[in-house]
């Protein structure tokens, strides 16, 4: 049953990505990062080291993807500042992994939520701008 549910979720996500705008894909990445960090936090609290490693690895992958999507030439200071924030978040997640530090994960979640709120506030008529790559 569990593998059927996971398969369904995977197909559902792949279907949503296939038709999503670049703006929506970035929103999904923020959501995914927040979910993986919450799962990492839960794993740390329950001394579940195997899942902690899995979820932290996934969170790192998503944040790295967000960072790699920045257009440093077109994004100017905003892209530079986001790059610095993503680097900081990756360091904090690594610290959380090494030290089982839920506070470090909370710090990262707070930063992602702040960035996501700004991203979500972009008016729909501006979503066509080449998303994260050129807008930021």
């Amino acid at each position: 049953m569990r593998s059927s549910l996971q398969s369904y979720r995977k197909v559902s996500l792949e279907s949503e990505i296939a038709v999503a705008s670049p703006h929506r894909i970035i929103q999904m990445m923020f959501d995914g990062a927040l979910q993986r960090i919450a799962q990492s936090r839960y794993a740390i609290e329950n001394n579940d080291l195997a899942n902690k490693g899995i979820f932290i690895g996934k969170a790192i992958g998503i944040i790295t993807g967000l960072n790699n999507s920045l257009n440093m030439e077109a994004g100017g200071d905003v892209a530079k500042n986001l790059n610095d924030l993503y680097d900081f978040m990756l360091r904090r997640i690594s610290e959380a992994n090494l030290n089982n530090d839920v506070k470090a994960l909370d710090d990262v979640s707070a930063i992602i939520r702040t960035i996501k709120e700004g991203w979500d506030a972009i008016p729909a008529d501006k979503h066509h701008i080449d998303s994260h790559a050129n807008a930021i």
Side-chain angles (χ1 to χ4, degrees):
M1 176 74 176
R2 184 169 171 90
S3 79
S4 296
L5 182 59
Q6 287 175 332
S7 295
Y8 173 77
R9 285 183 181 154
K10 184 176 184 213
V11 169
S12 177
L13 178 63
E14 289 171 357
S15 297
E16 187 175 355
I17 289 171
V19 298
S21 69
H23 184 271
R24 178 67 185 125
I25 290 171
I26 297 299
Q27 285 177 315
M28 292 168 65
M29 291 176 75
F30 287 136
D31 289 339
L34 289 169
Q35 289 174 350
R36 298 308 166 260
I37 291 167
Q39 290 168 319
S40 300
R41 189 183 203 289
Y42 183 80
I44 288 172
E45 290 172 338
N46 289 285
N47 202 29
D48 182 353
L49 301 181
N51 279 320
K52 175 192 81 164
I54 291 167
F55 294 126
I56 282 181
K58 289 181 179 189
I60 287 171
I62 294 169
I63 293 170
T64 299
L66 288 164
N67 197 17
N68 290 341
S69 73
L70 295 172
N71 184 329
M72 300 306 288
E73 293 174 22
D77 288 340
V78 174
K80 168 79 171 91
N81 291 338
L82 281 171
N83 179 264
D84 291 345
L85 281 172
Y86 291 141
D87 285 345
F88 173 77
M89 287 188 274
L90 291 170
R91 283 193 306 274
R92 289 296 284 159
I93 290 173
S94 294
E95 291 168 8
N97 189 31
L98 289 172
N99 303 316
N100 292 319
D101 184 357
V102 295
K103 171 73 170 90
L105 294 176
D106 292 343
D107 292 345
V108 173
S109 290
I111 294 167
I112 292 172
R113 275 193 297 279
T114 300
I115 297 169
K116 184 181 182 320
E117 287 171 9
W119 189 254
D120 291 345
I122 296 172
D125 65 333
K126 304 293 186 210
H127 290 189
H128 70 282
I129 298 173
D130 195 17
S131 188
H132 203 249
N134 286 330
I136 302 180

